[in-house]
Amino acid sequence: MNDLLIFLLFVVLIASAIAALKVRDLLAAVFCLTAFSFGAALVYALMGATDVAFTEAVVGAGVSGVFIIVALFFVDRRSKD
């Protein structure tokens, strides 16, 4: 059961990484990267590395997501293509 859950989380990680690369809106890309970081934190927690999972959740999904969103207020959100 645990291996199946980890496999499904890896599928979610791959899907969110591909979505972050393919999406045109920068805010949506930040959301995809935040989902990737949160999924990675869940994988770390399931593998027993709770300190790494907590750090990934706080820094990867929390702080960096907020910093990138604040930075987006200073640039155009959509690509020119």
Side-chain angles (χ1 to χ4, degrees):
M1 177 64 181
N2 198 14
D3 292 335
L4 178 63
L5 188 57
I6 290 174
F7 177 74
L8 290 175
L9 283 172
F10 276 130
V11 170
V12 169
L13 288 176
I14 292 169
S16 64
I18 291 172
L21 291 173
K22 294 291 183 180
V23 71
R24 290 279 200 204
D25 189 20
L26 291 177
L27 190 61
V30 171
F31 176 75
C32 292
L33 289 175
T34 303
F36 180 87
S37 293
F38 187 70
L42 288 175
V43 169
Y44 293 143
L46 286 174
M47 290 182 172
T50 54
D51 53 342
V52 177
F54 181 73
T55 303
E56 179 68 26
V58 170
V59 175
V63 176
S64 65
V66 170
F67 283 159
I68 295 172
I69 290 172
V70 168
L72 287 180
F73 285 116
F74 298 107
V75 297
D76 291 333
R77 282 182 43 196
R78 298 211 180 257
S79 66
K80 304 287 185 201
D81 295 332

